[in-house]
Amino acid sequence: MTTDVRTRVRDGDPAAFAELFDAYARAVYNHAFRLTADWSVAEDVMSATFLEAWRLRDRVDPEGGSLRPWLLGIATNIARNHCRGNRRYRAAVAAGAQAGTAALEVPDHAELVAGRVDDRRRLAAVLAALARLRRPEREVLTLCLWEGLEYTEAAEALGIPVGTVRSRLSRARTRLRKLADAETEPEGRRRQTEGDRTNAVRPAQEGIR
Amino acid sequence: MNAHPSEWEETPRLLPRVERDLPADRHQLHKERLMTRIHEELAASPGPHATAATRPAARHNPFLRRMVLVPLTAGVLAGALATGLFVFGGTEDTGTGGGPGTSAAGPVLTTRLGTADPEGAARLLDTVSLAAAEAPATPVGDGQYVYIESKTSAISVRHVHGTTSLASSPLHRRQTWQSRDGKDGWLIEPGTTGPEGMTLAGTDEHGDEPEPTLNAPSYDYLTALPTDPDVLLAKIYEETKGTGNGPDQEAFTTIGDLLIESYPPAELTAALYKAAAKIPGVVAVDDAVDAAGRHGVAVARLEEATGERTEWIFDRKTHVFLGERTVQAARDPHGVVPRGTVVSTSAVLTRSVVDGVKQLPGAAG
């Protein structure tokens, strides 16, 4: 089935791209947000990603699994060109924090996460953690942790060796540990209360991987 | 040692992931854009499904161009969204108002549309080309930077709960610095960067320097371009093939981008105007006003697909380039933007050579 999608994408079948968009626009959008810390930029990155995917369609391997890692890789490249320096990323995170975590949400779509204090807190924690990482570490961690890619998939998405994925993740982990040690935050205990809210937050599951 | 990050003890508090959907209308909008592009390209190519071999290479990174280098299109649009949405959302949804550092969205500007004259374009472009060739231009020396200061604003389209409205970003200053080779640079623009600005330097993931292109040129790149208008125009068509809303519009847009935020040598500027005169559909407009309120005459082209007319504005007497704006000159096919709306506007205030980033012309050093 997925091989078929790959073939249709390679052949430039418009319907295949419409399906790709419906299946993965959301994942690309949220991935781009984690890389840019800015929802409106994330929307631009998402839009550019699918146009770029169309342009690069002949590079798709006819054999293989889901095209989701490929799209996330393209989005990572595009986001990188926008967010060239870490300074920029930190500024975006700081701007969000300064205006209160509510500002992390684009209020137009507030129905989705509005009022869910735990979600906002977790999103803020995610951005704060990501802001401590170097960009290459941030990219790899984002793909593996939140997008659930395996090392090989992340390596393929970014066009880097698997060993590089491993070493970046290892550095990311060291930094995260230092960050956690520095905080000694009591909020970790709150986790039990979050379980029942998770489903309510996600009205739609994304497409099949 | 090699546990997946989802199994690390450092990550549980960052999971499960918090995600958001795009609102259905935004999802649909972007999907339609994608499908429009796909169908346009397929219509323009020989077979029902273009093969890789026959498909032209598009520009390297359309996003980079729009986001960083071209204030007139999506860059400002994104900036407007970033500021505008915060403010609007604050009042509509949470009642908390804009936080510190957010700027208010302004009213949408409308304008009187100048009269287009298809016959006048060639003569006007000839005049501005002559003026450009004679304008003194300081060459950029080794280690020096091109500094460009402009004033700019653009509208953004907002979709809230099924209704669509327009907002305009406030007219604001944009300052850019770029090294001769394009490898170093700085940007200060409220709404896009903080007051300190951001670096435009850096390599990509593989440690490669971004290569200058027509749509992201460095000074060195510009000085190496052909100054024969026919050769130049052929190169512009070749390099922008398959991008934008049709080859003629894309060639016109590319030249416009070079006029607004780059530092072409005088001979190249003159050649760009002569090349523009050869693009089908280019007209002269008897009156247009730039973002600094300066009136002038304009060279313009109507983009059929959007009904927008982009105008390059020149001083009526000196024929110096003042700025560029895009106005809704014909009906918006989406029925959102009224005729006469200023979609984006800019004015070049300073274009100069300085010795370092964040240095202003005339400053000591």
Side-chain angles (χ1 to χ4, degrees), chain B residues 296-309:
Chain B
V297 287
V299 169
R301 191 173 192 285
L302 178 71
E303 186 169 5
E304 301 281 347
T306 59
E308 294 173 354
R309 185 169 79 193

Side-chain angles (χ1 to χ4, degrees), chain A residues 105-167:
Chain A
E105 301 154 21
V106 175
D108 274 19
H109 331 152
E111 67 268 23
L112 292 152
V113 269
R116 301 192 187 278
V117 176
D118 288 338
D119 288 329
R120 282 193 209 157
R121 188 174 286 130
R122 202 179 321 115
L123 201 53
V126 164
L127 292 180
L130 286 174
R132 300 295 182 93
L133 304 180
R134 293 175 197 276
R135 190 187 59 206
E137 297 157 12
R138 179 158 63 234
E139 291 174 357
V140 173
L141 183 69
T142 303
L143 286 172
C144 291
L145 183 58
W146 290 285
E147 298 306 326
L149 298 198
E150 296 302 332
Y151 292 3
T152 48
E153 291 176 313
E156 201 183 341
L158 295 176
I160 57 177
V162 180
T164 308
V165 171
R166 283 186 209 285
S167 60

